[in-house]
Amino acid sequence: MNIALSFIFSQYEISVIDTLTNMLYNERFDEFENSLKRFYGEVDTNILRCIKLGFLELYMTDNSTDYRYGEFVALMDTLVNLPQNNTRNKLYVAVSSAIGAVFYGRRGDITKAISLGNISFSLFSEIYSENPDVYDSYLPLGIYHFAMGYLSRSSSRKKRGIEMVKESAKRGVLVKPLAYAALVYIYVFDKKPGYAVDYGIKALELYPKSRTFRWILAYAYKEAGMYKDAIRVYMEILMDLNRRNPNCNVCLAEVYFHLGESYKALGDDEKAKKSFWSSYYYASSEEDPYRRRKVKEILRKLAKYGIGG
């Protein structure tokens, strides 16, 4: 373990974070929550709160639901209002603000997302200034330098940003999985989808049962024009949903939608149409009121392909 990290987290705390993260990103949600309860009283409560906040965001995303929205908001408010009187607390506020930014960004509340993102970035900058060996801070700072390098056409600054994100993926504690995901999106944005695929594969090797990272890898394959590989991964997601989450009709609808787009890109219009109509069937069959937002989103996208009423 890096000596500087011991100033922030103990070796035992890092092992707890790794254990819970492994459950979380392999979508072992029930096991995760049961284990989380066991660790209260053994490690800093705010570590567990940050991880639970990440769990709630991932749970709602993976299940295409707004169920537990109120719980998420209440927990985030608790974390972002912690006193910023030491590096550890600053890290908790920064991480929870970043999770909140992703959460609100996915729901289209851009103003809220930007506000929380700014809080997170400012605090991570402070943390980096105080201790450059806290590698969690490298993720947002790396993304920032990459973006600034892209806008200013500075290849050296872009490279610096990418290297910082890679360091976060290698040595981060709370944000390590997010860093792998970020590298996929960075390389897609930088029109280097081959590298995006490489990091998508590496992330899946870390969390081999993960639907989350299968979604990300399939996205990388699509952007790289590797549609047959994308279809293979979407089929894996479909089989996993049928095995582990068969009651989420809108989840199935989303997979079929992406299968339809992939088949269409390959020029197989017959399979594309069949997949799109399967997506429509599952989306229309979803009765869970907490999933209406996602249902509307999918039906709106299907309508662009002439599918639906």
Side-chain angles (χ1 to χ4, degrees), residues 49-112:
R49 285 172 173 165
C50 278
I51 297 174
K52 184 171 183 180
L53 190 72
F55 154 72
L56 290 170
E57 200 283 328
L58 185 61
Y59 174 88
M60 285 188 281
T61 299
D62 182 65
N63 284 280
S64 297
T65 182
D66 287 326
Y67 176 61
R68 304 187 78 165
Y69 173 87
E71 187 179 356
F72 176 91
V73 172
L75 182 56
M76 187 184 70
D77 286 346
T78 297
L79 286 163
V80 299
N81 287 304
L82 288 172
Q84 299 170 25
N85 51 7
N86 55 59
T87 303
R88 185 182 274 243
N89 274 13
K90 287 178 183 178
L91 184 59
Y92 297 145
V93 177
V95 169
S96 55
S97 296
I99 294 170
V102 171
F103 177 81
Y104 284 107
R106 281 176 171 163
R107 282 153 181 76
D109 190 340
I110 303 304
T111 301
K112 183 76 170 177

Side-chain angles (χ1 to χ4, degrees), residues 29 55-73 103-104 106-107 211 241 245 247-252 254 286-298:
F29 293 140
F55 154 72
L56 290 170
E57 200 283 328
L58 185 61
Y59 174 88
M60 285 188 281
T61 299
D62 182 65
N63 284 280
S64 297
T65 182
D66 287 326
Y67 176 61
R68 304 187 78 165
Y69 173 87
E71 187 179 356
F72 176 91
V73 172
F103 177 81
Y104 284 107
R106 281 176 171 163
R107 282 153 181 76
R211 281 192 300 271
L241 284 169
N245 198 12
N247 296 320
C248 182
N249 285 333
V250 75
C251 297
L252 297 169
E254 185 165 18
E286 182 61 74
E287 296 181 352
D288 188 336
Y290 289 107
R291 291 177 168 139
R292 295 313 301 168
R293 180 180 56 84
K294 190 66 176 182
V295 168
K296 290 178 181 178
E297 176 190 317
I298 290 175

Side-chain angles (χ1 to χ4, degrees), residues 47 90 108 166 226-227:
I47 291 177
K90 287 178 183 178
K166 286 180 180 179
M226 301 169 68
Y227 300 111

Side-chain angles (χ1 to χ4, degrees), residues 192-206:
K192 296 176 181 176
Y195 289 115
V197 167
D198 289 343
Y199 276 96
I201 291 171
K202 287 179 182 179
L204 195 55
E205 287 172 351
L206 282 176

